Amino acid sequence: MKQTDDESLAISLIRDDLPFRLQRRLGLIPAQGLGMVRRAVFFALLTWLPIVIWAIATGRILPGTVDEPLLRHFGVHVRFLLAVPLFILGEGMIHQLSTTLTPYFLTSGLVQSTQAQDFVSIIRSIARLRDRTLPWVLIIALIIAWTVLEPMTARSDLDHEVNWASNGGAGRLGFGGWWFMYVSRPIFVAFLAAWIWRLILIFILLKRIARLDLAIVPTHPDGAGGLGFLKRLPKAFSLFVFAVSAVLASRLAHNVLYHGVDVQSLRLMLIVFLIVLVGICLAPLMTFVVPLATAKRRALLDYGALVGEHGRLVRQRWILGKTEVDDSLLHAEELGPVADTLTLYEAVRKMSIMPIDRSSLLAIVIPALIPIAALFSLQIPIKDILIKIASTLF
């Protein structure tokens, strides 16, 4: 195993980007650490508390004054009390895994010494891309454009979501509605966009690493040519997945409870949602399909020839009784007896062409399914839902 003392290889996808620098200047992030708890509390209160205080003051929090009070709009509360804090807490997971897994490409020997400098250059290029201001300027511009234009293009749906804040006239909102529209929602979308941008960064990082001439070991016991350590990566996205799924499920729950929507009619939309969400989170790992498939294809031929030659020598010596056989291959300590050579070939044959296993899938699927299961439990017994999920997963 090769060792490196270059701490710059432990790249964080969180530290030193534009939002991180701004939050540190504001005192939300301390000199050491990420300040996740204080930021989660701060942004949850910033986005949710003014709305609730206004709703209480104007009698719009509970049924009575308006047909659909704020309390019944579950999506509002889940966005700001659950999703926003989880987006922030999830940054800690992605920071820890990215700083742990990235250097392992070099220390494990996957990146050979001849390409070590190329690997370092990839890490530094991703760090520069992470620190650039332009991507965040574009994100902010898109959020502003969406905030201004979205009410014009999706008026009926938006009116319904903020009807608890209406002052009676069409399009006339009270303070709570304006705070929701132009402060709270943009903040939520900004955190969502930040996560999408970081997923893009991970994809670019792994894509560039996959283009190197990696020293993949087809017989590696991790079943992924030595890339099995990447199977842990989807765990970094668990809180993000849960938060996104909870926001969608909470909004749909309002329609199910108060507008007579049948949950069965939502099945197709939710299936598509799950497929897209899982695909987005696993896409970075899919960048290794080509190098792993290539290594497996070559190894099947190489190890197949080796096992075949080994078997022919065994037959010639022990079945046909030929004593003049060159037995150097038969006595090679690395290969051992016939059973061991077959084990090597089986290891190659079973090697996955994706560094993804059941734990990787469950790290994404289970957090996504929990809010959806809660949604379906509004009309279907939870026992039936759990049995269906268990039979599908296991």
Side-chain angles (χ1 to χ4, degrees):
M1 176 181 292
K2 300 177 177 64
Q3 299 294 333
T4 179
D5 296 326
D6 191 354
E7 296 182 357
S8 66
L9 296 181
I11 183 174
S12 169
L13 298 174
I14 306 298
R15 298 182 68 91
D16 297 328
D17 64 11
L18 180 61
F20 185 93
R21 299 195 300 269
L22 291 177
Q23 290 176 80
R24 173 161 284 178
R25 288 182 181 179
L26 293 173
L28 294 174
I29 298 179
Q32 300 296 327
L34 301 178
M36 293 181 295
V37 174
R38 72 168 71 172
R39 290 192 293 132
V41 173
F42 173 79
F43 282 107
L45 295 180
L46 177 66
T47 53
W48 180 78
L49 195 57
I51 294 172
V52 173
I53 291 176
W54 178 84
I56 293 174
T58 57
R60 297 167 184 268
I61 189 74
L62 297 173
T65 306
V66 292
D67 294 335
E68 292 189 7
L70 177 61
L71 188 63
R72 290 183 178 178
H73 285 268
F74 311 123
V76 174
H77 307 289
V78 169
R79 269 196 196 102
F80 309 133
L81 288 182
L82 181 66
V84 167
L86 287 182
F87 285 158
I88 295 172
L89 295 177
E91 292 178 0
M93 298 176 64
I94 198 171
H95 167 77
Q96 181 182 15
L97 279 174
S98 64
T99 55
T100 302
L101 298 182
T102 307
Y104 192 71
F105 279 99
L106 197 57
T107 58
S108 66
L110 274 165
V111 175
Q112 302 173 72
S113 58
T114 55
Q115 289 196 306
Q117 190 56 48
D118 294 333
F119 179 75
V120 172
S121 298
I122 290 173
I123 300 300
R124 291 175 177 170
S125 67
I126 295 298
R128 289 193 298 270
L129 183 58
R130 175 202 63 194
D131 298 344
R132 291 186 64 182
T133 301
L134 180 59
W136 295 101
V137 171
L138 295 176
I139 289 173
I140 293 172
L142 289 174
I143 292 174
I144 292 174
W146 171 80
T147 301
V148 173
L149 298 177
E150 196 262 352
M152 305 176 187
T153 58
R155 194 71 196 175
S156 59
D157 182 66
L158 189 59
D159 279 348
H160 173 72
E161 192 176 23
V162 295
N163 60 7
W164 51 270
S166 175
N167 277 333
R172 295 179 55 192
L173 298 176
F175 170 79
W178 283 98
W179 191 269
F180 170 78
M181 289 278 295
Y182 300 109
V183 178
S184 301
R185 278 209 319 167
I187 289 175
F188 165 79
V189 175
F191 278 110
L192 178 62
W195 265 93
I196 294 174
W197 170 239
R198 286 157 186 158
L199 281 166
I200 294 173
L201 283 178
I202 295 174
F203 181 87
I204 296 173
L205 170 64
L206 297 184
K207 181 68 174 178
R208 292 179 180 178
I209 293 175
R211 290 175 178 171
L212 297 175
D213 185 18
L214 299 176
I216 294 173
V217 182
T219 57
H220 199 286
D222 67 11
L227 290 167
F229 66 96
L230 290 174
K231 296 174 183 178
R232 298 165 49 198
L233 184 60
K235 295 179 182 178
F237 311 140
S238 296
L239 293 182
F240 165 75
V241 169
F242 181 80
V244 173
S245 181
V247 170
L248 176 64
S250 62
R251 290 197 64 182
L252 295 175
H254 172 83
N255 295 332
V256 170
L257 285 177
Y258 301 114
H259 298 284
V261 174
D262 184 358
V263 291
Q264 296 292 347
S265 66
L266 305 173
R267 178 176 297 181
L268 178 59
M269 180 187 69
L270 292 173
I271 289 175
V272 173
F273 165 76
L274 284 173
I275 293 174
V276 171
L277 190 59
V278 172
I280 289 174
C281 292
L282 295 182
L285 297 181
M286 300 295 287
T287 58
F288 291 97
V289 168
V290 172
L292 283 173
T294 301
K296 180 176 182 178
R297 183 171 60 253
R298 292 174 179 171
L300 284 173
L301 296 175
D302 294 340
Y303 282 85
L306 177 65
V307 172
E309 181 63 18
H310 190 272
R312 281 188 290 272
L313 292 175
V314 169
R315 180 175 182 274
Q316 290 175 18
R317 178 165 184 175
W318 299 107
I319 303 300
L320 301 180
K322 295 181 179 180
T323 58
E324 68 278 7
V325 173
D326 181 7
D327 60 358
S328 59
L329 184 62
L330 296 178
H331 290 88
E333 295 181 0
E334 307 94 279
L335 296 179
V338 174
D340 289 346
T341 60
L342 294 177
T343 300
L344 289 174
Y345 184 80
E346 279 299 301
V348 174
R349 189 179 66 83
K350 294 179 179 179
M351 186 186 84
S352 173
I353 62 170
M354 295 180 292
I356 298 171
D357 61 5
R358 176 176 289 185
S359 65
S360 307
L361 289 172
L362 293 181
I364 302 298
V365 173
I366 289 180
L369 283 178
I370 291 175
I372 293 175
L375 170 64
F376 274 82
S377 70
L378 297 176
Q379 294 182 350
I380 302 174
I382 189 65
K383 178 181 177 181
D384 296 342
I385 298 174
L386 293 177
I387 292 175
K388 184 70 173 178
I389 292 175
S391 64
T392 301
L393 295 178
F394 305 103

